[in-house]
Amino acid sequence: MPLTKTEQIVNASLKARRKKERAFQLFGIAAIALALFFLVTLMGSILSKGIPGFFQYYITLEIELDRERLDPLGDLSEQSLFDGQAKKIIEEVVLEKTGAKSRNGRKAARKLLSNGSDTRLTSFVRANPSLLNSTQKVKFALDDDADSYFRGFVKKETPEQQRRLSNIQIEYLDKMNEDGLISHEISDYLFFGSASRNAEMAGIKGAAIGSVLTLLVCFVIAFPIGVATAVYLEEFAPKNKITEIIEININNLAAVPSVVFGILGLAIFINLFGLPRSIPLVGGMVLALMTLPTIIISSRAAIKSVPPSIRDGALGVGASKVQATMHHVVPLAIPGMLTGTIIGMAQALGETAPLLMIGMVAFIVDIPGSVTEPGTVLPVQIFMWADFAERMFVQKTSSAIIILLLFLILMNGGAIWLRKKLERRW
Amino acid sequence: MTDIVETIVNCDGVSVFYGENRAINNISIDIGKQSITAFIGPSGCGKSTFLRTINRMNDTIEGCRIEGRVTVDGQDIYDASVDVVPLRAKVGMVFQKPNPFPKTIYENVAYGPRIHGLARNKSQLDDIVEKALTGAGLWAEVRDRLQDSGTSLSGGQQQRLCIARTIAVEPQIILMDEPCSALDPIATSKIEALMSELSNEYTIIIVTHSMQQAARVSQKTAYFHLGNLIEYGDTKEIFVRPKDPQTEAYISGKIG
Ligand SMILES: Nc1ncnc2c1ncn2[C@@H]1O[C@H](COP(=O)(O)OP(=O)(O)OP(=O)(O)O)[C@@H](O)[C@H]1O
Ligand SMILES: [Mg+2]
């Protein structure tokens, strides 16, 4: 059968069309490959640095928990434990284990354990008062330089003046390792420690709690305001010049650099209202300003996606506008609103710049107990750690990044789960 | 020729505008109580627009404006003192596409009575729901699955659910905008039978594209063309002896 005219024309153009399609496909694949390459490199670098950061080296020592010496007042009070000789007791054991005799040797041996060892011993005593006056095995963290030796960052071959450990210190460490005192374990300081200048003691607990408190404030403020704004703009606002300008501005706000919100927060909340610096309350309010546009935009999209026929159905049986909105439109839009909110909050979780502006970058050892106590947040903690040169801080920085990423994945996963769970069909 | 016993809806010189566009042009019509009136006419001629003026659903459309007078039961419904909530309770509407709420069957029917406070307690509400579903010819099919989602029903069942939802508030007038256009012949005939039954109690105005449907169910037919009411009269008359050549052309399939 002869080809029709249309078929002839179509056939003639087929080759060129195919070629275009192939080129387009290739371009797409190349773009994805490039993106994947960067992703893998990034994840590889973070994981390779960060995973070792989850572990650190500990030394287990047998300590005689002499009550007279540890708790001179006998009431286990902070004062009493502070007056006690925890530090001295540990040092005696270390000197014995290393066999350090000379003045220099003893000085070198003392520096092998973390500065926080005496606090660790007193908290151990406080937690287990029944063990007083007995001999117990207690685990202490190694000082970060000693830790670096076992990690292989400090090498014996390096000339003594150029490394952070002296020959004699290395000798002691080797000896204790041979005696089986050194162990490599998951770092409890990383998870339960707070800000510290000593790398081996630094942890994210304070920052993580600060993040949670800040996000809580952010949610409590941004979600209701955002949803109310979206509902009003979508359902009730007259369509005129003023609402149009408001709409355009909300959309533009979503693109404003976050640091600007920090400056705004500094000017309004701190300078004008006189709220204290560095507190999660102000941080949360600033982040709420920042996430509001995201929440409003996604909530409006969620409301728009509710079919108008549902509204008509409600109005048709005599529901008022508010009833139709509250009984039908909002419940159907809630999953979309929540998804948008979680994504906005995830953004807020990773935000650093605006919080620097309001002073959440201060070095705070205490863990914030409420939204009005000074604190910091995870990304700011990461930012601060990244500034320190110690090898262990470098690793802990990556570990904290992994934890932050896990939080983000968790939140985004939660958003997906919510959407799947609440999704309705009509 | 008009044998309207009692007029319930009276329109006098009604024009409707979408912005600058005039969709309805100076229409006057009387609609009789407890009867079925069919609106027919080519697509885009303004049937839906006109139907929606009777329960003020056009109010929800931005830029829609109406001129003239519409009275229901002698009351001017566009008077500033009129509240649309009781008006729509009195003039119910069934839409072209079945639009049950994504809630249970029970909740779909109970919604209207609940917001209007028609039931004083749960058992009264149960009664209303049962009565409305029975009235819509759906009770037998759904009595055991009242807690299922309304959207889990078939298209025809959904449309009857929407009718049940409408009659649950006991309106006087039911407006139906092409209620069978998404349904198969069997579901259609069920709804037509239902309409005939409902017309004993309610006034029904139906927009339809099916000549046969108009001929089967309605007592009166109005033919619209380009926003004008061309002809209005007894259905039998219109289908057998149309007075206007345009009506004749449409009915015999020359305009469409
Ligand atoms: N929301 C609206 N905004 C602007 N113009 C509209 C709107 N709805 C309808 N119109 C216009 O009004 C006129 C009448 O429309 P209408 O929907 O009433 O027609 P119809 O007779 O119901 O048609 P169909 O049989 O296709 O449903 C059309 O010209 C249409 O373009
Ligand atoms: Mg229509």
Side-chain angles (χ1 to χ4, degrees):
Chain A
M1 214 170 77
L3 293 176
T4 66
K5 200 159 171 237
T6 314
E7 279 173 319
Q8 282 171 13
I9 296 174
V10 169
N11 285 349
S13 71
L14 268 185
K15 217 174 134 194
R17 259 201 261 179
R18 290 261 157 76
K19 209 171 140 195
K20 258 190 200 156
E21 268 167 34
R22 253 200 314 276
F24 186 73
Q25 241 175 22
L26 272 179
F27 183 73
I29 292 172
I32 291 176
L34 192 70
L36 272 181
F37 168 75
F38 282 126
L39 190 71
V40 167
T41 319
L42 176 76
M43 289 315 287
S45 126
I46 290 177
L47 288 180
S48 68
K49 282 206 203 96
I51 288 179
F54 284 107
F55 300 90
Q56 74 187 67
Y57 287 87
Y58 289 91
I59 180 167
T60 309
L61 298 175
E62 282 197 8
I63 307 275
E64 210 189 308
L65 301 176
D66 186 346
R67 177 150 211 167
E68 299 268 283
R69 297 184 69 193
L70 280 169
D71 183 22
L73 300 181
D75 55 2
L76 288 172
S77 64
E78 209 161 313
Q79 184 62 45
S80 168
L81 293 171
F82 182 77
D83 290 346
Q85 302 174 354
K87 193 169 181 146
K88 196 135 183 269
I89 294 176
I90 299 169
E91 274 176 16
E92 284 166 13
V93 180
V94 171
L95 293 182
E96 181 205 321
K97 294 291 177 199
T98 53
K101 291 271 168 1
S102 67
R103 209 177 119 84
N104 273 348
R106 293 156 73 118
K107 203 171 149 200
R110 276 190 210 111
K111 283 197 186 143
L112 293 177
L113 258 62
S114 162
N115 276 343
S117 296
D118 46 336
T119 325
R120 206 170 160 94
L121 182 59
T122 51
S123 357
F124 178 82
V125 167
R126 168 114 28 111
N128 310 285
S130 60
L131 298 179
L132 276 169
N133 290 332
S134 68
T135 303
Q136 294 295 328
K137 286 191 170 167
V138 184
K139 213 177 287 164
F140 301 99
L142 285 186
D143 182 70
D144 64 328
D145 289 333
D147 192 282
S148 298
Y149 171 66
F150 288 113
R151 276 172 211 259
F153 293 138
V154 174
K155 296 203 173 60
K156 261 188 225 171
E157 302 78 55
T158 321
E160 191 173 10
Q161 300 85 341
Q162 286 172 28
R163 53 172 140 79
R164 302 188 57 125
L165 289 172
S166 61
N167 286 339
I168 193 161
Q169 282 178 312
I170 290 182
E171 196 182 295
Y172 293 154
L173 285 173
D174 282 341
K175 179 172 187 303
M176 291 193 287
N177 196 17
E178 272 158 34
D179 293 345
L181 301 177
I182 309 287
S183 57
H184 188 221
E185 286 173 42
I186 288 200
S187 163
D188 57 347
Y189 280 115
L190 177 66
F191 295 104
F192 303 112
S194 168
S196 170
R197 250 321 329 219
N198 294 306
E200 76 279 0
M201 287 162 63
I204 54 144
K205 187 175 174 191
I209 289 179
S211 271
V212 169
L213 291 174
T214 308
L215 284 190
L216 212 69
V217 172
C218 173
F219 177 82
V220 166
I221 295 175
F223 184 68
I225 296 182
V227 167
T229 310
V231 168
Y232 178 75
L233 283 178
E234 267 318 305
E235 298 285 323
F236 300 103
K239 302 270 171 292
N240 57 28
K241 268 270 167 303
I242 298 174
T243 48
E244 204 174 297
I245 290 173
I246 292 177
E247 275 188 51
I248 292 172
N249 277 307
I250 289 174
N251 293 344
N252 286 341
L253 272 184
V256 167
S258 56
V259 68
V260 175
F261 290 103
I263 296 172
L264 186 71
L266 179 66
I268 295 182
F269 301 135
I270 295 178
N271 292 345
L272 194 65
F273 294 166
L275 289 170
R277 295 166 66 89
S278 309
I279 60 172
L281 179 65
V282 175
M285 295 199 294
V286 167
L287 292 182
L289 289 180
M290 200 195 82
T291 37
L292 261 178
T294 314
I295 296 181
I296 294 174
I297 291 170
S298 62
S299 298
R300 293 186 63 181
I303 293 171
K304 274 205 188 88
S305 75
V306 175
S309 64
I310 301 283
R311 245 172 239 120
D312 287 347
L315 294 175
V317 294
S320 67
K321 189 116 201 235
V322 174
Q323 285 173 326
T325 305
M326 289 306 159
H327 297 164
H328 298 283
V329 178
V330 171
L332 288 174
I334 278 281
M337 293 172 167
L338 279 178
T339 317
T341 306
I342 295 180
I343 288 171
M345 304 279 290
Q347 242 172 29
L349 172 66
E351 223 23 272
T352 321
L355 300 179
L356 298 185
M357 301 303 302
I358 56 146
M360 285 189 87
V361 68
F363 182 85
I364 294 148
V365 180
D366 289 330
I367 288 166
S370 77
V371 295
T372 50
E373 284 171 33
T376 186
V377 294
L378 272 177
V380 174
Q381 183 77 76
I382 291 170
F383 170 81
M384 291 194 282
W385 281 357
D387 236 18
F388 298 149
E390 286 91 339
R391 287 309 287 241
M392 214 166 162
F393 268 125
V394 176
Q395 290 189 331
K396 282 199 173 175
T397 306
S398 290
S399 305
I401 290 175
I402 292 177
I403 293 172
L404 182 65
L405 287 178
L406 282 179
F407 265 110
L408 286 172
I409 291 172
L410 222 68
M411 287 178 76
N412 284 312
I416 292 170
W417 178 80
L418 252 179
R419 194 163 47 210
K420 281 259 144 45
K421 174 150 194 246
L422 299 175
E423 205 170 47
R424 282 231 184 77
R425 313 218 161 275
W426 43 76
Chain B
M1 114 208 143
T2 44
D3 52 326
I4 288 176
V5 196
E6 201 183 329
T7 300
I8 185 160
V9 179
N10 166 272
C11 300
D12 193 9
V14 172
S15 297
V16 182
F17 301 82
Y18 290 111
E20 292 302 299
N21 274 344
R22 184 190 285 259
I24 292 293
N25 186 18
N26 196 16
I27 287 183
S28 300
I29 193 170
D30 283 339
I31 287 163
K33 211 170 196 170
Q34 285 162 12
S35 65
I36 302 184
T37 305
F39 288 179
I40 60 170
S43 183
C45 67
K47 306 177 296 289
S48 301
T49 303
F50 188 62
L51 191 71
R52 291 160 62 94
T53 55
I54 302 173
N55 69 344
R56 290 185 57 174
M57 278 301 275
N58 281 335
D59 290 14
T60 60
I61 297 173
E62 200 82 23
C64 185
R65 191 163 52 80
I66 175 164
E67 276 173 11
R69 223 173 107 89
V70 181
T71 60
V72 171
D73 258 351
Q75 184 191 30
D76 182 351
I77 60 170
Y78 284 91
D79 192 84
S81 66
V82 168
D83 186 347
V84 293
V85 166
L87 172 69
R88 290 189 191 137
K90 190 165 159 182
V91 187
M93 185 156 198
V94 177
F95 298 83
Q96 174 168 359
K97 249 180 66 199
N99 59 347
F101 304 132
K103 301 186 180 213
T104 64
I105 294 172
Y106 183 93
E107 281 304 318
N108 261 281
V109 182
Y111 182 68
R114 194 171 271 156
I115 54 172
H116 295 303
L118 299 185
R120 227 164 288 121
N121 52 43
K122 174 89 172 92
S123 77
Q124 263 183 14
L125 193 60
D126 288 348
D127 288 346
I128 292 177
V129 170
E130 178 174 346
K131 196 168 150 232
L133 283 169
T134 311
L138 195 59
W139 178 248
E141 287 155 76
V142 300
R143 60 186 308 166
D144 300 321
R145 44 186 293 207
L146 289 176
Q147 296 309 319
D148 286 9
S149 170
T151 48
S152 68
L153 296 171
S154 77
Q157 289 175 323
Q158 287 188 14
Q159 195 59 300
R160 279 180 284 151
L161 178 62
C162 293
I163 293 174
R165 179 174 76 189
T166 306
I167 61 181
V169 280
E170 303 204 2
Q172 287 181 24
I173 303 170
I174 303 175
L175 310 175
M176 296 186 171
D177 193 350
E178 301 182 43
C180 302
S181 65
L183 305 181
D184 71 4
I186 295 172
T188 302
S189 71
K190 274 192 190 161
I191 292 197
E192 284 177 7
L194 177 60
M195 278 192 272
S196 303
E197 203 161 296
L198 291 175
S199 69
N200 293 327
E201 245 183 284
Y202 304 95
T203 305
I204 296 178
I205 307 175
I206 176 177
V207 170
T208 176
H209 274 281
S210 154
M211 296 307 115
Q212 292 88 337
Q213 185 169 60
R216 274 193 304 264
V217 300
S218 70
Q219 283 92 53
K220 292 253 175 194
T221 297
Y223 173 66
F224 290 77
H225 189 76
L226 294 177
N228 294 304
L229 176 61
I230 305 297
E231 193 168 346
Y232 176 50
D234 288 343
T235 302
K236 280 182 231 125
E237 283 291 314
I238 292 224
F239 278 94
V240 181
R241 280 181 296 277
K243 290 199 186 61
D244 194 286
Q246 286 183 55
T247 319
E248 144 128 69
Y250 180 73
I251 289 169
S252 56
K254 286 180 203 129
I255 319 179

